[in-house]
Amino acid sequence: MDPTQPPGAEELAPLVYDELRRLAAAYMRRERPGQTLQATALVHEVYLRLAGAGTPWTDQRHFVGIAARSMRQILVERARARGAQKRWGGIDRVSLSHALAVAADPEGTLPALDEALSRLEQIDPEQARIVELRYFAGLTIEETADALSMSPATLKRRWALARAWLYRDLSGPPV
């Protein structure tokens, strides 16, 4: 690795592989039962996306943060695809009871959370980043505070605000 050049995904991935597997496992624990994607496959899919981007990374934390966001995006894409396949896969007519069952399906939760998180990011990008690191990446308060260069006490306050905002957004009437 050339010390004058920022490291690429191919240099950083082996250094942070165990951490990426831990993050992927945390993501997968939140997925619905019967999920066919495994944590290792998720890490490899993220690597392929990041290596293909050709982006220089400032350091390992930057790479892991972007990888965590990519994991979230992959899982959201898969949830949306499953939902689309479930709703439209060969169905000609949809009864009201079926429509209500699909609407109450937990598979819709991840896309709804992703959309709410995107709205929060428009209002307060830092709070959205806190949610990504805490909820999706599974980092502790201390790890998240370190990654965002803030004190744990400040992070706890902002984490509480972000959760309250998301709760209000997700439980309110659809926008």
Side-chain angles (χ1 to χ4, degrees), residues 18-146:
D18 290 337
E19 186 172 358
L20 292 178
R21 284 264 308 126
R22 185 183 62 76
L23 291 174
Y27 273 117
M28 300 313 295
R29 279 193 298 275
R30 292 184 181 91
E31 281 293 297
R32 68 181 176 88
Q35 170 65 262
T36 58
L37 185 66
Q38 299 295 318
T40 302
L42 181 59
V43 170
H44 292 181
E45 191 167 338
V46 164
Y47 172 76
L48 290 174
R49 284 188 181 192
L50 297 180
T55 306
W57 311 101
T58 55
D59 60 15
Q60 290 180 9
R61 297 290 329 135
H62 181 221
F63 182 76
V64 169
I66 299 299
R69 177 172 277 200
S70 294
M71 286 180 197
R72 174 182 138 218
Q73 290 169 342
I74 289 167
L75 292 174
V76 167
E77 289 166 7
R78 290 177 59 90
R80 284 188 177 135
R82 278 192 314 268
Q85 182 180 22
K86 187 176 193 175
R87 285 188 295 276
W88 304 111
I91 297 174
D92 292 328
R93 288 185 253 166
V94 179
S95 69
L96 180 59
S97 60
H98 178 73
L100 291 174
V102 169
D105 192 347
E107 287 181 9
T109 304
L110 189 57
L113 179 58
D114 182 58
E115 290 168 12
L117 198 52
S118 294
R119 287 189 293 275
L120 177 59
E121 193 168 28
Q122 296 300 315
I123 297 166
D124 190 335
E126 183 180 73
Q127 284 188 1
R129 188 80 180 118
I130 289 169
V131 172
E132 282 181 339
L133 294 173
R134 290 281 294 135
Y135 182 78
F136 288 104
L139 298 183
T140 65
I141 292 287
E142 291 74 21
E143 290 169 334
T144 307
D146 182 50

